[in-house]
Amino acid sequence: QRQMCIETAPKPGDLIFYSTYSGGTPTHIGIVTDCYGGYVYTKEGNNTGGVIKTHKRPTLTSYITGGWYIVGYASPQYLS
């Protein structure tokens, strides 16, 4: 059985979950590539043209410009 630890401070390799409203069910997901200076950097697909893009988002607030809210982060137990 695979388990994930829900995190409040993201780190590279974590999953980031978004919703279109505060406290909502996650409707979008990304992978954290870095986190520093109050920002989380992610790789996300499902964008215009199907291109995977890098996004820079503030970590100090749950609101993201463009109407997305960070629901939370999860740390998968990757196999080494």
Side-chain angles (χ1 to χ4, degrees):
Q1 179 178 357
R2 296 176 187 236
Q3 297 180 357
M4 286 192 277
C5 177
I6 303 302
E7 301 287 339
T8 56
K11 57 190 177 301
D14 283 356
L15 304 176
I16 182 172
F17 300 95
Y18 304 100
S19 176
T20 52
Y21 57 94
S22 183
T25 301
T27 56
H28 188 70
I29 191 170
I31 299 174
V32 174
T33 57
D34 213 340
C35 184
Y36 60 89
Y39 290 92
V40 60
Y41 297 81
T42 65
K43 290 284 188 182
E44 300 169 27
N46 206 23
N47 288 291
T48 305
V51 177
I52 295 176
K53 296 182 180 178
T54 299
H55 295 276
K56 174 183 174 182
R57 308 193 189 275
T59 57
L60 300 178
T61 176
S62 63
Y63 182 69
I64 304 295
T65 25
W68 289 98
Y69 291 83
I70 296 175
V71 175
Y73 306 93
S75 296
Q77 294 180 347
Y78 295 108
L79 298 176
S80 52

